[in-house]
């Protein structure tokens, strides 16, 4: 177990200090509901939400925005542009009662950068200061940011320190740090050895993110994680939605039942065509639990309808597929 059993952010105690990362097209309410079935986390995060689009969403019906009581603590991650009406956006998201708000300053996707948001906002120091100040002025609750190390070019360390100071000065409460440079994407390993350096630069608590796959990995590298205030798990939580519960104690898992639950939860929230895309994405990760899981992933990927996806899944699980000790996410 990680030595920091809880973290308190602006008076909100989150226990344990384990968090499910915001994951594009994954951490909608249906997936959060599945993770909540097992528990073991301190908070869940929504996928990155366009601040401007929130102004026109049905907050109670949207599968991205709605929250079920079973989800417990939920932080809403926002993508905000320098020209966005920040106060209106925060006022709108406040209507769903988030436990906290998180600002994405890490996304390197070209479509997000073209909007001057995500990593592009992190790079633009004057705009970053302005947006952070506006969000803090509009939101009095727990406020966090998610960042990477910046761009891997000359002066990267100085630029990183400048951004940390801007984040501190704005009154942000905590930082989630994914220890990769923007350009790394997922092509190379996360630089866990930099957590100690990063935490030494700021008074704010840092939540570690990037290639955190198990309690065993953290224990084996205890010195690398000793200074962080919490752990955020991303892609491995898709493959193993019970990972947070398993961090605390052994969990008996019926793998077929878990897949079917996600299937039915998604169909409750999405129309069939959209549901099928979400089921396919989940299955690509979930398949990594099985010895010949690639056959399962391809089969679900090629299913023409949600009904056929269920039939194919039932056929696969009826074979009682062999499990792998730990999924490999290489190539995803």
């Amino acid at each position: 177990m990680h030595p920091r059993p809880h973290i308190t952010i602006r008076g909100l105690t989150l226990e344990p200090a384990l968090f499910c990362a915001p994951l594009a097209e994954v951490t909608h309410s249906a997936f959060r509901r599945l993770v909540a079935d097992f528990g073991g986390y301190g908070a869940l995060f929504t996928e990155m939400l366009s601040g401007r689009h929130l102004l026109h969403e049905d907050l109670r019906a949207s599968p991205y925005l709605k929250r079920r009581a079973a989800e417990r603590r939920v932080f809403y991650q926002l993508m905000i542009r320098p020209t966005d009406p920040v106060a209106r956006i925060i006022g709108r998201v406040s209507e769903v009662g988030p436990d906290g708000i998180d600002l994405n300053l890490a996304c390197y996707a070209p479509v997000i950068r073209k909007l001057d948001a995500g990593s592009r906002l992190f790079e633009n120091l004057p705009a970053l200061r302005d947006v952070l100040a506006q969000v803090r002025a509009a939101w009095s609750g727990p406020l966090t940011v998610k960042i990477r190390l910046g761009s891997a070019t000359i002066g990267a360390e100085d630029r990183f320190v400048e951004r940390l100071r801007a984040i501190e000065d704005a009154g942000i409460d905590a930082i989630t740090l994914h220890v990769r440079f923007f350009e790394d994407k997922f092509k190379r390993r996360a630089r866990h050895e930099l957590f100690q350096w990063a935490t030494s630069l700021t008074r704010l608590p840092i939540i570690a993110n990037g290639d955190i796959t198990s309690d065993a990995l953290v224990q084996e590298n205890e010195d690398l994680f000793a200074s962080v205030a919490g752990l955020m798990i991303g892609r491995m939580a898709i493959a193993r939605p019970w990972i947070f519960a398993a961090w605390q104690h052994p969990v008996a898992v019926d793998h077929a039942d878990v897949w079917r639950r996600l299937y039915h939860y998604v169909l409750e929230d999405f129309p069939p065509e959209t549901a099928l895309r979400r089921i396919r994405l989940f299955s690509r990760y979930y398949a990594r639990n099985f010895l010949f899981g690639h056959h399962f992933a391809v089969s679900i990927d090629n299913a023409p309808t949600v009904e056929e996806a269920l039939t194919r899944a039932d056929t696969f699980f009826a074979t009682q597929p062999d499990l792998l000790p730990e999924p490999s996410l290489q190539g995803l």
Side-chain angles (χ1 to χ4, degrees), residues 259-260 263-264 300 305-315:
W259 188 92
R260 291 189 190 105
Y263 173 89
H264 290 296
I300 300 301
T305 65
V306 290
E307 294 82 6
E308 179 61 20
L310 179 59
T311 297
R312 294 182 181 192
D314 286 343
T315 299

Side-chain angles (χ1 to χ4, degrees), residues 77 192 230 235 257 308:
Q77 187 186 76
H192 294 158
R235 295 180 301 155
D257 176 68
E308 179 61 20

Side-chain angles (χ1 to χ4, degrees), residues 237-277:
I238 315 176
R240 292 188 162 181
W242 56 87
I243 190 170
F244 304 99
W247 214 279
Q248 329 292 328
H249 53 75
V251 176
V253 177
D254 181 333
H255 288 76
D257 176 68
V258 171
W259 188 92
R260 291 189 190 105
R261 263 190 277 171
L262 186 281
Y263 173 89
H264 290 296
Y265 291 170
V266 169
L267 278 174
E268 284 185 33
D269 286 359
F270 292 96
E273 184 176 335
T274 307
L276 183 58
R277 291 199 298 270

